[in-house]
Amino acid sequence: MNYRINEIFETLQGEGVFTGVPAIFVRLQGCPVGCPWCDTQHTWNTDADKQVAVAELAKKTAADDRWAELSADDIVAWFERNGYRAKHVVITGGEPAMFDLQPLAEVLEKRGYRLQIETSGTFPLQVSAATWVTLSPKLDMPGGYLVQPENMRRANEIKHPIAMQKHIDALDQLLQQYPVADDVVISLQPISQRPRATELAIATCIERGWRLSVQMHKYLNIE
């Protein structure tokens, strides 16, 4: 099983439950959902002429749409070659649920890594039982994909980007339609750190006992 990789890097997780935790990010290439505010739009397309060798991918110093195919063993070798110390691995994208992640999870978990996937919830999840699923539901996006009810039931964390009240209302409707487990963490994440969105998120989190996700990495200006 090979995976289309846009980049791999070690940093701190900046969002959600694991904010501040040292993490290795494995960013996959490809996503048809089309979120207008997406800050990784360079991962949407998988043009054949953008495929490069692993050695060239390793030289990337800025975000772009080049990608390479790596196996699970190749990914572990990348970790070891770069001396990464983090044991928390975040599979992100793009939309990582477009891939069967179980072979990757098997290889990484045997080596002592904990996996987290960040997904829109619009594709069937193929992950290990131990994988932490962070579902950031994408509703009424240009791609026309729907959040799947089985993904809501599987989610460990619902992390919802908001800019205005209608986004909270849409989440309420989704949660009513597709209930989640009692122990699921629900957090609101202001889109692009907009002040009004942040104020709304804070007020709503206090009122409902939810959490605030503030994209710490953007405030710290780290990857």
Side-chain angles (χ1 to χ4, degrees):
M1 180 73 189
N2 287 335
Y3 299 93
R4 297 192 298 264
I5 305 296
N6 177 274
E7 61 178 341
I8 300 174
F9 57 95
E10 186 178 44
T11 185
L12 298 177
Q13 170 60 286
E15 303 178 1
V17 168
F18 294 102
T19 294
V21 173
I24 303 168
F25 278 73
V26 178
R27 188 178 303 283
L28 304 184
Q29 187 78 18
C31 181
V33 179
C35 305
W37 61 81
C38 176
D39 55 7
T40 57
Q41 293 189 19
H42 58 282
T43 67
W44 287 5
N45 300 318
T46 54
D47 298 328
D49 63 345
K50 296 298 184 180
Q51 184 176 2
V52 297
V54 175
E56 183 175 343
L57 189 74
K59 296 177 182 177
K60 287 176 64 169
T61 58
D64 62 44
D65 57 358
R66 291 178 294 162
W67 57 276
E69 284 196 346
L70 281 76
S71 68
D73 288 335
D74 293 333
I75 292 170
V76 171
W78 185 304
F79 295 176
E80 294 174 348
R81 186 167 57 249
N82 287 277
Y84 295 161
R85 295 187 177 186
K87 287 297 183 179
H88 185 77
V89 177
V90 182
I91 312 298
T92 187
E95 175 45 72
M98 294 172 63
F99 297 83
D100 181 358
L101 298 174
Q102 294 189 61
L104 178 59
E106 181 179 353
V107 169
L108 292 179
E109 288 172 356
K110 283 183 178 179
R111 289 166 170 78
Y113 292 96
R114 174 181 58 195
L115 266 66
Q116 175 187 4
I117 178 177
E118 297 182 337
T119 177
S120 64
T122 56
F123 286 82
L125 291 173
Q126 302 174 83
V127 297
S128 69
T131 297
W132 179 275
V133 175
T134 298
L135 197 160
S136 184
K138 300 304 187 294
L139 308 172
D140 299 321
M141 293 296 110
Y145 290 84
L146 301 177
V147 174
Q148 300 191 14
E150 60 270 26
N151 293 342
M152 294 289 288
R153 291 191 293 268
R154 172 62 180 84
N156 301 101
E157 173 185 11
I158 303 295
K159 178 165 62 66
H160 191 55
I162 69 159
M164 55 192 73
Q165 182 62 43
K166 71 176 184 179
H167 298 136
I168 298 173
D169 295 340
L171 176 61
D172 286 338
Q173 183 177 359
L174 181 68
L175 292 170
Q176 183 175 11
Q177 185 178 7
Y178 302 135
V180 296
D182 292 339
D183 60 350
V184 167
V185 177
I186 299 178
S187 60
L188 299 181
Q189 184 164 291
I191 295 173
S192 301
Q193 297 82 49
R194 298 172 185 170
R196 292 180 64 182
T198 301
E199 292 171 5
L200 175 61
I202 290 172
T204 305
C205 288
I206 291 173
E207 177 185 350
R208 303 191 182 193
W210 291 351
R211 294 194 189 184
L212 180 70
S213 176
V214 295
Q215 294 188 293
M216 179 188 73
H217 56 291
K218 293 187 177 180
Y219 286 99
L220 297 178
N221 196 29
I222 60 175
E223 190 170 15

